[in-house]
Amino acid sequence: MTIKSCPVQPQAWSKQQLRKLFLDCDGDGDGLLTKEEIKKAFRNLGAVIPGYRAWEGLKRADANKDGCVSHDELDALIDYADKLQYTSVTNY
């Protein structure tokens, strides 16, 4: 009997998937992502140093400098995460 293995392919997160991930990390549902919530999202993406990624993402996305990322600023955070090319493993 021969056992066939399924190839495992890493697949980049789409911007739509990244948006959902970040919005799901808005723990209190206030529509603002704090540094801790962003850190949680980067941890879920598999970042080696999620605290640094959260700091860098907040720095790039927080246009009004209030310390949070609002829905209006979310696209900049998603663009930053997208450029880092995180992948998830999908079985085909």
Side-chain angles (χ1 to χ4, degrees), residues 57-89:
L58 188 60
K59 185 174 81 169
R60 291 171 186 247
D62 184 16
N64 64 4
K65 306 298 182 210
D66 66 351
C68 298
V69 174
S70 67
H71 284 279
D72 293 336
E73 299 166 325
L74 187 56
D75 285 339
L77 181 59
I78 291 167
D79 287 343
Y80 169 66
D82 184 55
K83 287 178 182 164
L84 297 171
Q85 291 295 296
Y86 288 103
T87 58
S88 61
V89 176

Side-chain angles (χ1 to χ4, degrees), residues 28-67:
D28 56 8
D30 64 355
L32 299 171
L33 291 170
T34 64
K35 183 179 177 187
E36 286 304 311
E37 291 168 333
I38 297 168
K39 182 178 175 180
K40 178 180 177 184
F42 277 107
R43 188 177 302 115
N44 291 342
L45 285 168
V48 175
I49 308 172
Y52 172 76
R53 292 296 177 205
W55 173 80
E56 189 67 36
L58 188 60
K59 185 174 81 169
R60 291 171 186 247
D62 184 16
N64 64 4
K65 306 298 182 210
D66 66 351

